[in-house]
Every structure is written in C-alpha cells, then in structure tokens.
PDB file of all heavy atoms in Angstrom:
ATOM      1  N   TYR C   1       2.049   0.476   4.692  1.00  0.00           N
ATOM      2  CA  TYR C   1       1.450  -0.790   5.091  1.00  0.00           C
ATOM      3  C   TYR C   1       2.443  -1.917   4.884  1.00  0.00           C
ATOM      4  O   TYR C   1       3.292  -1.843   4.000  1.00  0.00           O
ATOM      5  CB  TYR C   1       0.195  -1.090   4.265  1.00  0.00           C
ATOM      6  CG  TYR C   1      -0.929  -0.117   4.495  1.00  0.00           C
ATOM      7  CD1 TYR C   1      -1.041   1.043   3.740  1.00  0.00           C
ATOM      8  CD2 TYR C   1      -1.884  -0.347   5.481  1.00  0.00           C
ATOM      9  CE1 TYR C   1      -2.062   1.943   3.959  1.00  0.00           C
ATOM     10  CE2 TYR C   1      -2.911   0.545   5.701  1.00  0.00           C
ATOM     11  CZ  TYR C   1      -2.993   1.690   4.931  1.00  0.00           C
ATOM     12  OH  TYR C   1      -4.006   2.578   5.146  1.00  0.00           O
ATOM     13  N   THR C   2       2.318  -2.966   5.682  1.00  0.00           N
ATOM     14  CA  THR C   2       3.097  -4.181   5.501  1.00  0.00           C
ATOM     15  C   THR C   2       2.131  -5.332   5.294  1.00  0.00           C
ATOM     16  O   THR C   2       1.194  -5.517   6.080  1.00  0.00           O
ATOM     17  CB  THR C   2       3.994  -4.470   6.720  1.00  0.00           C
ATOM     18  OG1 THR C   2       4.863  -3.340   6.921  1.00  0.00           O
ATOM     19  CG2 THR C   2       4.832  -5.714   6.512  1.00  0.00           C
ATOM     20  N   VAL C   3       2.346  -6.085   4.227  1.00  0.00           N
ATOM     21  CA  VAL C   3       1.509  -7.236   3.904  1.00  0.00           C
ATOM     22  C   VAL C   3       2.326  -8.493   4.162  1.00  0.00           C
ATOM     23  O   VAL C   3       3.490  -8.590   3.752  1.00  0.00           O
ATOM     24  CB  VAL C   3       1.069  -7.200   2.421  1.00  0.00           C
ATOM     25  CG1 VAL C   3       0.331  -8.471   2.051  1.00  0.00           C
ATOM     26  CG2 VAL C   3       0.207  -5.996   2.158  1.00  0.00           C
ATOM     27  N   TYR C   4       1.719  -9.450   4.824  1.00  0.00           N
ATOM     28  CA  TYR C   4       2.344 -10.743   5.081  1.00  0.00           C
ATOM     29  C   TYR C   4       1.621 -11.798   4.254  1.00  0.00           C
ATOM     30  O   TYR C   4       0.393 -11.897   4.310  1.00  0.00           O
ATOM     31  CB  TYR C   4       2.245 -11.104   6.566  1.00  0.00           C
ATOM     32  CG  TYR C   4       3.027 -10.174   7.457  1.00  0.00           C
ATOM     33  CD1 TYR C   4       2.460  -8.989   7.918  1.00  0.00           C
ATOM     34  CD2 TYR C   4       4.326 -10.478   7.832  1.00  0.00           C
ATOM     35  CE1 TYR C   4       3.171  -8.127   8.726  1.00  0.00           C
ATOM     36  CE2 TYR C   4       5.043  -9.619   8.649  1.00  0.00           C
ATOM     37  CZ  TYR C   4       4.460  -8.445   9.094  1.00  0.00           C
ATOM     38  OH  TYR C   4       5.168  -7.596   9.892  1.00  0.00           O
ATOM     39  N   VAL C   5       2.377 -12.562   3.486  1.00  0.00           N
ATOM     40  CA  VAL C   5       1.807 -13.629   2.669  1.00  0.00           C
ATOM     41  C   VAL C   5       2.246 -14.953   3.269  1.00  0.00           C
ATOM     42  O   VAL C   5       3.439 -15.232   3.389  1.00  0.00           O
ATOM     43  CB  VAL C   5       2.279 -13.519   1.200  1.00  0.00           C
ATOM     44  CG1 VAL C   5       1.706 -14.653   0.378  1.00  0.00           C
ATOM     45  CG2 VAL C   5       1.897 -12.169   0.627  1.00  0.00           C
ATOM     46  N   ASN C   6       1.256 -15.757   3.651  1.00  0.00           N
ATOM     47  CA  ASN C   6       1.522 -17.056   4.271  1.00  0.00           C
ATOM     48  C   ASN C   6       1.177 -18.147   3.259  1.00  0.00           C
ATOM     49  O   ASN C   6       0.019 -18.305   2.882  1.00  0.00           O
ATOM     50  CB  ASN C   6       0.663 -17.203   5.533  1.00  0.00           C
ATOM     51  CG  ASN C   6       1.001 -18.448   6.321  1.00  0.00           C
ATOM     52  OD1 ASN C   6       1.957 -19.133   6.030  1.00  0.00           O
ATOM     53  ND2 ASN C   6       0.197 -18.715   7.332  1.00  0.00           N
ATOM     54  N   ASP C   7       2.184 -18.871   2.813  1.00  0.00           N
ATOM     55  CA  ASP C   7       1.979 -19.933   1.831  1.00  0.00           C
ATOM     56  C   ASP C   7       1.108 -21.036   2.441  1.00  0.00           C
ATOM     57  O   ASP C   7       1.382 -21.523   3.529  1.00  0.00           O
ATOM     58  CB  ASP C   7       3.331 -20.499   1.405  1.00  0.00           C
ATOM     59  CG  ASP C   7       3.211 -21.469   0.265  1.00  0.00           C
ATOM     60  OD1 ASP C   7       2.704 -22.589   0.508  1.00  0.00           O
ATOM     61  OD2 ASP C   7       3.606 -21.116  -0.852  1.00  0.00           O
ATOM     62  N   LYS C   8       0.046 -21.422   1.730  1.00  0.00           N
ATOM     63  CA  LYS C   8      -0.878 -22.437   2.247  1.00  0.00           C
ATOM     64  C   LYS C   8      -0.249 -23.826   2.311  1.00  0.00           C
ATOM     65  O   LYS C   8      -0.749 -24.701   3.001  1.00  0.00           O
ATOM     66  CB  LYS C   8      -2.143 -22.487   1.394  1.00  0.00           C
ATOM     67  CG  LYS C   8      -3.028 -21.281   1.608  1.00  0.00           C
ATOM     68  CD  LYS C   8      -4.324 -21.413   0.857  1.00  0.00           C
ATOM     69  CE  LYS C   8      -5.236 -20.268   1.186  1.00  0.00           C
ATOM     70  NZ  LYS C   8      -6.561 -20.423   0.602  1.00  0.00           N
ATOM     71  N   LYS C   9       0.845 -24.031   1.614  1.00  0.00           N
ATOM     72  CA  LYS C   9       1.542 -25.325   1.646  1.00  0.00           C
ATOM     73  C   LYS C   9       2.647 -25.329   2.695  1.00  0.00           C
ATOM     74  O   LYS C   9       3.520 -26.172   2.680  1.00  0.00           O
ATOM     75  CB  LYS C   9       2.101 -25.644   0.273  1.00  0.00           C
ATOM     76  CG  LYS C   9       0.997 -25.836  -0.752  1.00  0.00           C
ATOM     77  CD  LYS C   9       1.556 -26.198  -2.097  1.00  0.00           C
ATOM     78  CE  LYS C   9       0.409 -26.339  -3.090  1.00  0.00           C
ATOM     79  NZ  LYS C   9       0.853 -26.687  -4.414  1.00  0.00           N
ATOM     80  N   LYS C  10       2.592 -24.365   3.598  1.00  0.00           N
ATOM     81  CA  LYS C  10       3.515 -24.253   4.734  1.00  0.00           C
ATOM     82  C   LYS C  10       4.969 -24.059   4.305  1.00  0.00           C
ATOM     83  O   LYS C  10       5.892 -24.556   4.935  1.00  0.00           O
ATOM     84  CB  LYS C  10       3.404 -25.489   5.645  1.00  0.00           C
ATOM     85  CG  LYS C  10       1.995 -25.819   6.093  1.00  0.00           C
ATOM     86  CD  LYS C  10       1.487 -24.818   7.064  1.00  0.00           C
ATOM     87  CE  LYS C  10       0.128 -25.270   7.584  1.00  0.00           C
ATOM     88  NZ  LYS C  10      -0.813 -24.250   7.733  1.00  0.00           N
ATOM     89  N   CYS C  11       5.171 -23.319   3.207  1.00  0.00           N
ATOM     90  CA  CYS C  11       6.525 -23.040   2.730  1.00  0.00           C
ATOM     91  C   CYS C  11       7.114 -21.770   3.338  1.00  0.00           C
ATOM     92  O   CYS C  11       8.236 -21.402   3.051  1.00  0.00           O
ATOM     93  CB  CYS C  11       6.543 -22.932   1.208  1.00  0.00           C
ATOM     94  SG  CYS C  11       6.211 -24.498   0.386  1.00  0.00           S
ATOM     95  N   GLY C  12       6.355 -21.069   4.153  1.00  0.00           N
ATOM     96  CA  GLY C  12       6.887 -19.887   4.813  1.00  0.00           C
ATOM     97  C   GLY C  12       6.039 -18.651   4.639  1.00  0.00           C
ATOM     98  O   GLY C  12       5.012 -18.664   3.967  1.00  0.00           O
ATOM     99  N   VAL C  13       6.501 -17.598   5.270  1.00  0.00           N
ATOM    100  CA  VAL C  13       5.814 -16.311   5.248  1.00  0.00           C
ATOM    101  C   VAL C  13       6.750 -15.286   4.607  1.00  0.00           C
ATOM    102  O   VAL C  13       7.931 -15.242   4.907  1.00  0.00           O
ATOM    103  CB  VAL C  13       5.443 -15.859   6.682  1.00  0.00           C
ATOM    104  CG1 VAL C  13       4.856 -14.469   6.688  1.00  0.00           C
ATOM    105  CG2 VAL C  13       4.496 -16.857   7.322  1.00  0.00           C
ATOM    106  N   THR C  14       6.189 -14.483   3.736  1.00  0.00           N
ATOM    107  CA  THR C  14       6.921 -13.384   3.102  1.00  0.00           C
ATOM    108  C   THR C  14       6.218 -12.093   3.459  1.00  0.00           C
ATOM    109  O   THR C  14       4.991 -12.060   3.538  1.00  0.00           O
ATOM    110  CB  THR C  14       6.925 -13.546   1.567  1.00  0.00           C
ATOM    111  OG1 THR C  14       7.541 -14.789   1.245  1.00  0.00           O
ATOM    112  CG2 THR C  14       7.677 -12.429   0.903  1.00  0.00           C
ATOM    113  N   LYS C  15       6.997 -11.048   3.670  1.00  0.00           N
ATOM    114  CA  LYS C  15       6.367  -9.760   3.956  1.00  0.00           C
ATOM    115  C   LYS C  15       6.882  -8.707   2.987  1.00  0.00           C
ATOM    116  O   LYS C  15       8.018  -8.765   2.531  1.00  0.00           O
ATOM    117  CB  LYS C  15       6.582  -9.330   5.398  1.00  0.00           C
ATOM    118  CG  LYS C  15       7.939  -8.799   5.725  1.00  0.00           C
ATOM    119  CD  LYS C  15       7.983  -8.296   7.152  1.00  0.00           C
ATOM    120  CE  LYS C  15       9.303  -7.602   7.413  1.00  0.00           C
ATOM    121  NZ  LYS C  15       9.336  -6.983   8.719  1.00  0.00           N
ATOM    122  N   ARG C  16       6.001  -7.757   2.649  1.00  0.00           N
ATOM    123  CA  ARG C  16       6.333  -6.648   1.773  1.00  0.00           C
ATOM    124  C   ARG C  16       5.722  -5.376   2.344  1.00  0.00           C
ATOM    125  O   ARG C  16       4.588  -5.388   2.806  1.00  0.00           O
ATOM    126  CB  ARG C  16       5.769  -6.852   0.365  1.00  0.00           C
ATOM    127  CG  ARG C  16       6.368  -7.984  -0.400  1.00  0.00           C
ATOM    128  CD  ARG C  16       7.742  -7.576  -0.923  1.00  0.00           C
ATOM    129  NE  ARG C  16       8.474  -8.729  -1.368  1.00  0.00           N
ATOM    130  CZ  ARG C  16       8.636  -9.091  -2.625  1.00  0.00           C
ATOM    131  NH1 ARG C  16       8.094  -8.395  -3.572  1.00  0.00           N
ATOM    132  NH2 ARG C  16       9.345 -10.152  -2.920  1.00  0.00           N
ATOM    133  N   THR C  17       6.476  -4.302   2.284  1.00  0.00           N
ATOM    134  CA  THR C  17       5.982  -2.994   2.693  1.00  0.00           C
ATOM    135  C   THR C  17       5.612  -2.227   1.435  1.00  0.00           C
ATOM    136  O   THR C  17       6.311  -2.282   0.430  1.00  0.00           O
ATOM    137  CB  THR C  17       7.058  -2.239   3.479  1.00  0.00           C
ATOM    138  OG1 THR C  17       7.379  -2.994   4.650  1.00  0.00           O
ATOM    139  CG2 THR C  17       6.576  -0.864   3.894  1.00  0.00           C
ATOM    140  N   PHE C  18       4.500  -1.531   1.481  1.00  0.00           N
ATOM    141  CA  PHE C  18       4.088  -0.707   0.358  1.00  0.00           C
ATOM    142  C   PHE C  18       3.472   0.579   0.873  1.00  0.00           C
ATOM    143  O   PHE C  18       3.138   0.706   2.044  1.00  0.00           O
ATOM    144  CB  PHE C  18       3.121  -1.465  -0.575  1.00  0.00           C
ATOM    145  CG  PHE C  18       1.769  -1.735   0.022  1.00  0.00           C
ATOM    146  CD1 PHE C  18       0.709  -0.885  -0.205  1.00  0.00           C
ATOM    147  CD2 PHE C  18       1.559  -2.868   0.808  1.00  0.00           C
ATOM    148  CE1 PHE C  18      -0.536  -1.141   0.333  1.00  0.00           C
ATOM    149  CE2 PHE C  18       0.312  -3.125   1.340  1.00  0.00           C
ATOM    150  CZ  PHE C  18      -0.736  -2.262   1.114  1.00  0.00           C
ATOM    151  N   TYR C  19       3.359   1.540  -0.026  1.00  0.00           N
ATOM    152  CA  TYR C  19       2.836   2.851   0.322  1.00  0.00           C
ATOM    153  C   TYR C  19       1.616   3.152  -0.537  1.00  0.00           C
ATOM    154  O   TYR C  19       1.594   2.844  -1.725  1.00  0.00           O
ATOM    155  CB  TYR C  19       3.865   3.950   0.065  1.00  0.00           C
ATOM    156  CG  TYR C  19       5.152   3.721   0.795  1.00  0.00           C
ATOM    157  CD1 TYR C  19       6.248   3.192   0.145  1.00  0.00           C
ATOM    158  CD2 TYR C  19       5.267   4.023   2.145  1.00  0.00           C
ATOM    159  CE1 TYR C  19       7.433   2.970   0.820  1.00  0.00           C
ATOM    160  CE2 TYR C  19       6.441   3.803   2.828  1.00  0.00           C
ATOM    161  CZ  TYR C  19       7.527   3.280   2.149  1.00  0.00           C
ATOM    162  OH  TYR C  19       8.694   3.062   2.825  1.00  0.00           O
ATOM    163  N   ILE C  20       0.637   3.767   0.061  1.00  0.00           N
ATOM    164  CA  ILE C  20      -0.481   4.322  -0.685  1.00  0.00           C
ATOM    165  C   ILE C  20      -0.301   5.832  -0.638  1.00  0.00           C
ATOM    166  O   ILE C  20      -0.289   6.434   0.429  1.00  0.00           O
ATOM    167  CB  ILE C  20      -1.840   3.914  -0.073  1.00  0.00           C
ATOM    168  CG1 ILE C  20      -2.025   2.410  -0.183  1.00  0.00           C
ATOM    169  CG2 ILE C  20      -2.967   4.669  -0.769  1.00  0.00           C
ATOM    170  CD1 ILE C  20      -3.292   1.900   0.446  1.00  0.00           C
ATOM    171  N   LEU C  21      -0.085   6.402  -1.821  1.00  0.00           N
ATOM    172  CA  LEU C  21       0.078   7.842  -1.935  1.00  0.00           C
ATOM    173  C   LEU C  21      -1.206   8.414  -2.512  1.00  0.00           C
ATOM    174  O   LEU C  21      -1.799   7.836  -3.417  1.00  0.00           O
ATOM    175  CB  LEU C  21       1.265   8.164  -2.838  1.00  0.00           C
ATOM    176  CG  LEU C  21       2.609   7.595  -2.373  1.00  0.00           C
ATOM    177  CD1 LEU C  21       3.675   7.831  -3.411  1.00  0.00           C
ATOM    178  CD2 LEU C  21       3.009   8.202  -1.040  1.00  0.00           C
ATOM    179  N   ASP C  22      -1.627   9.541  -2.015  1.00  0.00           N
ATOM    180  CA  ASP C  22      -2.871  10.152  -2.460  1.00  0.00           C
ATOM    181  C   ASP C  22      -2.586  11.564  -2.949  1.00  0.00           C
ATOM    182  O   ASP C  22      -1.558  12.150  -2.625  1.00  0.00           O
ATOM    183  CB  ASP C  22      -3.871  10.179  -1.304  1.00  0.00           C
ATOM    184  CG  ASP C  22      -5.297  10.403  -1.761  1.00  0.00           C
ATOM    185  OD1 ASP C  22      -5.560  10.349  -2.979  1.00  0.00           O
ATOM    186  OD2 ASP C  22      -6.154  10.649  -0.901  1.00  0.00           O
ATOM    187  N   TYR C  23      -3.491  12.087  -3.743  1.00  0.00           N
ATOM    188  CA  TYR C  23      -3.341  13.440  -4.264  1.00  0.00           C
ATOM    189  C   TYR C  23      -4.718  14.079  -4.378  1.00  0.00           C
ATOM    190  O   TYR C  23      -5.717  13.390  -4.531  1.00  0.00           O
ATOM    191  CB  TYR C  23      -2.638  13.432  -5.623  1.00  0.00           C
ATOM    192  CG  TYR C  23      -3.377  12.667  -6.684  1.00  0.00           C
ATOM    193  CD1 TYR C  23      -4.296  13.307  -7.514  1.00  0.00           C
ATOM    194  CD2 TYR C  23      -3.172  11.315  -6.867  1.00  0.00           C
ATOM    195  CE1 TYR C  23      -4.988  12.609  -8.490  1.00  0.00           C
ATOM    196  CE2 TYR C  23      -3.858  10.605  -7.842  1.00  0.00           C
ATOM    197  CZ  TYR C  23      -4.755  11.258  -8.645  1.00  0.00           C
ATOM    198  OH  TYR C  23      -5.440  10.564  -9.606  1.00  0.00           O
ATOM    199  N   PRO C  24      -4.771  15.411  -4.314  1.00  0.00           N
ATOM    200  CA  PRO C  24      -6.062  16.090  -4.465  1.00  0.00           C
ATOM    201  C   PRO C  24      -6.606  15.913  -5.883  1.00  0.00           C
ATOM    202  O   PRO C  24      -5.855  15.954  -6.849  1.00  0.00           O
ATOM    203  CB  PRO C  24      -5.740  17.561  -4.203  1.00  0.00           C
ATOM    204  CG  PRO C  24      -4.390  17.594  -3.606  1.00  0.00           C
ATOM    205  CD  PRO C  24      -3.697  16.344  -4.008  1.00  0.00           C
ATOM    206  N   LYS C  25      -7.895  15.752  -6.004  1.00  0.00           N
ATOM    207  CA  LYS C  25      -8.537  15.616  -7.320  1.00  0.00           C
ATOM    208  C   LYS C  25      -8.699  16.980  -7.988  1.00  0.00           C
ATOM    209  O   LYS C  25      -8.967  17.067  -9.171  1.00  0.00           O
ATOM    210  CB  LYS C  25      -9.903  14.937  -7.189  1.00  0.00           C
ATOM    211  CG  LYS C  25      -9.872  13.605  -6.451  1.00  0.00           C
ATOM    212  CD  LYS C  25      -8.913  12.615  -7.073  1.00  0.00           C
ATOM    213  CE  LYS C  25      -8.964  11.301  -6.326  1.00  0.00           C
ATOM    214  NZ  LYS C  25      -7.687  10.837  -5.849  1.00  0.00           N
ATOM    215  N   TYR C  26      -8.545  18.044  -7.210  1.00  0.00           N
ATOM    216  CA  TYR C  26      -8.589  19.402  -7.737  1.00  0.00           C
ATOM    217  C   TYR C  26      -7.825  20.316  -6.790  1.00  0.00           C
ATOM    218  O   TYR C  26      -7.554  19.959  -5.639  1.00  0.00           O
ATOM    219  CB  TYR C  26     -10.029  19.903  -7.891  1.00  0.00           C
ATOM    220  CG  TYR C  26     -10.725  20.116  -6.577  1.00  0.00           C
ATOM    221  CD1 TYR C  26     -10.702  21.355  -5.962  1.00  0.00           C
ATOM    222  CD2 TYR C  26     -11.377  19.068  -5.936  1.00  0.00           C
ATOM    223  CE1 TYR C  26     -11.319  21.555  -4.733  1.00  0.00           C
ATOM    224  CE2 TYR C  26     -11.999  19.260  -4.716  1.00  0.00           C
ATOM    225  CZ  TYR C  26     -11.971  20.503  -4.124  1.00  0.00           C
ATOM    226  OH  TYR C  26     -12.562  20.700  -2.916  1.00  0.00           O
ATOM    227  N   PHE C  27      -7.458  21.494  -7.284  1.00  0.00           N
ATOM    228  CA  PHE C  27      -6.914  22.522  -6.409  1.00  0.00           C
ATOM    229  C   PHE C  27      -7.305  23.888  -6.956  1.00  0.00           C
ATOM    230  O   PHE C  27      -7.726  24.021  -8.108  1.00  0.00           O
ATOM    231  CB  PHE C  27      -5.405  22.359  -6.197  1.00  0.00           C
ATOM    232  CG  PHE C  27      -4.513  22.823  -7.311  1.00  0.00           C
ATOM    233  CD1 PHE C  27      -3.651  23.880  -7.117  1.00  0.00           C
ATOM    234  CD2 PHE C  27      -4.496  22.176  -8.544  1.00  0.00           C
ATOM    235  CE1 PHE C  27      -2.799  24.299  -8.128  1.00  0.00           C
ATOM    236  CE2 PHE C  27      -3.651  22.581  -9.544  1.00  0.00           C
ATOM    237  CZ  PHE C  27      -2.801  23.652  -9.345  1.00  0.00           C
ATOM    238  N   THR C  28      -7.219  24.907  -6.086  1.00  0.00           N
ATOM    239  CA  THR C  28      -7.724  26.245  -6.427  1.00  0.00           C
ATOM    240  C   THR C  28      -6.684  27.305  -6.071  1.00  0.00           C
ATOM    241  O   THR C  28      -6.765  27.922  -5.012  1.00  0.00           O
ATOM    242  CB  THR C  28      -9.030  26.529  -5.660  1.00  0.00           C
ATOM    243  OG1 THR C  28      -8.766  26.365  -4.256  1.00  0.00           O
ATOM    244  CG2 THR C  28     -10.144  25.584  -6.073  1.00  0.00           C
ATOM    245  N   PRO C  29      -5.711  27.538  -6.942  1.00  0.00           N
ATOM    246  CA  PRO C  29      -4.648  28.505  -6.615  1.00  0.00           C
ATOM    247  C   PRO C  29      -5.108  29.958  -6.765  1.00  0.00           C
ATOM    248  O   PRO C  29      -4.751  30.654  -7.710  1.00  0.00           O
ATOM    249  CB  PRO C  29      -3.560  28.155  -7.634  1.00  0.00           C
ATOM    250  CG  PRO C  29      -4.296  27.615  -8.799  1.00  0.00           C
ATOM    251  CD  PRO C  29      -5.487  26.896  -8.227  1.00  0.00           C
ATOM    252  N   ASN C  30      -5.904  30.407  -5.815  1.00  0.00           N
ATOM    253  CA  ASN C  30      -6.461  31.756  -5.886  1.00  0.00           C
ATOM    254  C   ASN C  30      -5.941  32.670  -4.776  1.00  0.00           C
ATOM    255  O   ASN C  30      -6.467  33.757  -4.577  1.00  0.00           O
ATOM    256  CB  ASN C  30      -7.993  31.703  -5.861  1.00  0.00           C
ATOM    257  CG  ASN C  30      -8.522  30.997  -4.627  1.00  0.00           C
ATOM    258  OD1 ASN C  30      -7.761  30.685  -3.716  1.00  0.00           O
ATOM    259  ND2 ASN C  30      -9.804  30.714  -4.604  1.00  0.00           N
ATOM    260  N   GLY C  31      -4.943  32.205  -4.025  1.00  0.00           N
ATOM    261  CA  GLY C  31      -4.323  33.054  -3.014  1.00  0.00           C
ATOM    262  C   GLY C  31      -5.022  33.108  -1.677  1.00  0.00           C
ATOM    263  O   GLY C  31      -4.667  33.923  -0.834  1.00  0.00           O
TER     264      GLY C  31
END
C-alpha cells in the first residue's frame, strides 16, 4: 500500500509505501 499525507497547512504531500504481511493462525503438518 502507498499512503499519502497531505499537510492541512498546505506544506506539501508526503507518501510512504508499506506492506501488510499475514500468516496462518494455525497449521497442520500431517502430510
């Protein structure tokens, strides 16, 4: 995702990219 932050005092826009990583809450290694 990319987030854009727009300063309310009209000082400019900054953008940042970030990642949301997910993982299984369980797993079943039974073949």
Side-chain angles (χ1 to χ4, degrees):
Y1 295 89
T2 302
V3 174
Y4 295 86
V5 179
N6 187 8
D7 188 288
K8 288 185 175 186
K9 295 182 182 180
K10 308 289 186 220
C11 292
V13 174
T14 301
K15 76 175 187 174
R16 294 283 166 102
T17 299
F18 69 95
Y19 303 100
I20 295 177
L21 301 173
D22 197 10
Y23 61 91
K25 307 304 182 235
Y26 68 92
F27 78 115
T28 56
N30 57 9

